[in-house]
Amino acid sequence: GYDSAGIAVSENGKTDVVKTKGRIKNLEEKLEKVGGLSGTVGIGHTRWATHGKPDDINAHPHHSGNERLTLVHNGIIENYGAIKKALIELGHTFKSETDTEVLVHLIEHYQMTDNLSLEAAVIKTLQKVVGAYAIVVMDNQNPDLIVGARKSSPLVLGVGNQELYLASDASPIVKYTKKVVYLNDEEVVTAH
């Protein structure tokens, strides 16, 4: 079950996001209206609302404040309220009611203030959060790189013919590859 869906695609230093409440059919219609998205690296997500009502704003993917990072997330970040409060005090502005947007803002914060790579910023962020997650993050300044991580929520890496896939389950990627690696709890994967 899900109540919203979205997709993000990176190309030429910019990540375009199209998302909507409702079924994937609604997303397909919205994509048709904007003429589709182009690029070679992308992430998609179907969401079942846990924080914030099911609407277009709370649908995934979410951008960081500087729109450099884009993230999808399965799970629940239990301490997102305290993190959000601290980030607001540092000047961050949030568009959604989701714990997911808080997560991408925290990654941005560590990436920018500590001058960290995307992978290092994700690792530092995940050391600060309490909860369950399977995340996938893109950085439009490094468009051929995706970082994924999991804790108490499944994440699978698929190895294809000159392409890599990350998914919450093997079933959506088996038509593209039979080579899959199930990440262990608290593992991080960098795909490029």
Side-chain angles (χ1 to χ4, degrees):
Y2 64 95
D3 53 44
S4 60
I7 187 170
V9 178
S10 271
E11 185 173 61
N12 299 324
K14 184 174 185 264
T15 303
D16 292 315
V17 173
V18 176
K19 55 188 185 173
T20 188
K21 71 177 181 176
R23 310 306 285 174
I24 289 178
K25 182 178 190 280
N26 299 7
L27 179 62
E28 290 170 342
E29 290 169 0
K30 207 167 187 180
L31 282 164
E32 258 183 49
K33 285 181 186 175
V34 299
L37 300 177
S38 64
T40 57
V41 177
I43 55 178
H45 190 268
T46 54
R47 173 181 185 253
W48 182 255
T50 55
H51 292 102
K53 63 185 177 247
D55 63 15
D56 290 4
I57 294 169
N58 290 327
H60 297 203
H62 286 284
H63 279 308
S64 58
N66 62 10
E67 295 194 0
R68 177 176 169 175
L69 307 178
T70 309
L71 179 139
V72 293
H73 163 232
N74 282 339
I76 297 176
I77 304 303
E78 296 170 17
N79 62 336
Y80 86 101
I83 294 169
K84 184 175 185 176
K85 182 179 179 199
L87 289 169
I88 289 170
E89 290 172 4
L90 292 171
H92 287 257
T93 303
F94 294 88
K95 297 176 182 172
S96 78
E97 303 166 328
T98 67
D99 55 339
T100 301
E101 188 184 12
V102 172
L103 199 54
V104 74
H105 275 256
L106 188 57
I107 295 167
E108 172 196 7
H109 170 75
Y110 287 130
Q111 185 182 45
M112 301 309 290
T113 60
D114 297 352
N115 195 29
L116 297 176
S117 68
L118 178 59
E119 184 179 40
V122 166
I123 290 168
K124 187 168 184 176
T125 295
L126 296 178
Q127 292 170 346
K128 306 293 183 190
V129 301
V130 176
Y133 53 80
I135 65 168
V136 178
V137 190
M138 297 189 321
D139 181 343
N140 63 25
Q141 299 302 306
N142 197 348
D144 294 329
L145 176 83
I146 291 184
V147 175
R150 74 161 291 240
K151 180 180 180 185
S152 303
S153 192
L155 189 63
V156 176
L157 170 68
V159 180
N161 228 0
Q162 298 186 342
E163 67 266 339
L164 298 169
Y165 304 93
L166 288 167
S168 57
D169 186 273
S171 59
I173 59 176
V174 293
K175 70 179 185 178
Y176 305 106
T177 183
K178 302 276 187 257
K179 299 176 190 171
V180 296
V181 177
Y182 291 86
L183 272 69
N184 292 316
D185 243 8
E186 299 187 28
E187 282 190 327
V188 176
V189 62
T190 301
H192 50 92

